[in-house]
Amino acid sequence: QVRAQNDPRAAKVAELRIFGGMPMDHVARLMDLSMATAERDWRIARAWLEKQYALTIRSMVGEEAGS
């Protein structure tokens, strides 16, 4: 959700890739982007998602340790 506010195009690319299961060439065509731009947006979104995942896991592990 925060990602969509910061970079809505990258968020849309991620949505189409993850939830739509679309290959990158279809995403680029659908969004009227060059492949390079679609791939760059995907790298940005993926990096953000990986960071959020790591923070969530770290938080969950910290909560278990404190139990």
Side-chain angles (χ1 to χ4, degrees):
Q1 186 176 14
V2 174
R3 179 81 241 157
Q5 292 173 349
N6 294 336
D7 194 338
R9 191 180 67 204
K12 186 65 176 176
V13 168
E15 179 182 335
L16 292 171
R17 293 279 293 155
I18 295 167
F19 299 112
M22 293 181 130
M24 191 55 75
D25 61 326
H26 291 179
V27 172
R29 198 171 330 125
L30 179 68
M31 294 185 64
D32 196 29
L33 302 172
S34 70
M35 275 295 288
T37 297
E39 289 172 345
R40 182 175 52 248
D41 285 350
W42 174 234
R43 283 193 305 272
I44 289 167
R46 194 175 61 215
W48 185 86
L49 287 167
E50 288 171 355
K51 179 179 178 185
Q52 294 307 305
Y53 178 76
L55 291 172
T56 300
I57 295 299
R58 213 172 306 141
S59 170
M60 292 171 67
V61 169
E63 289 173 7
E64 289 176 5
S67 300

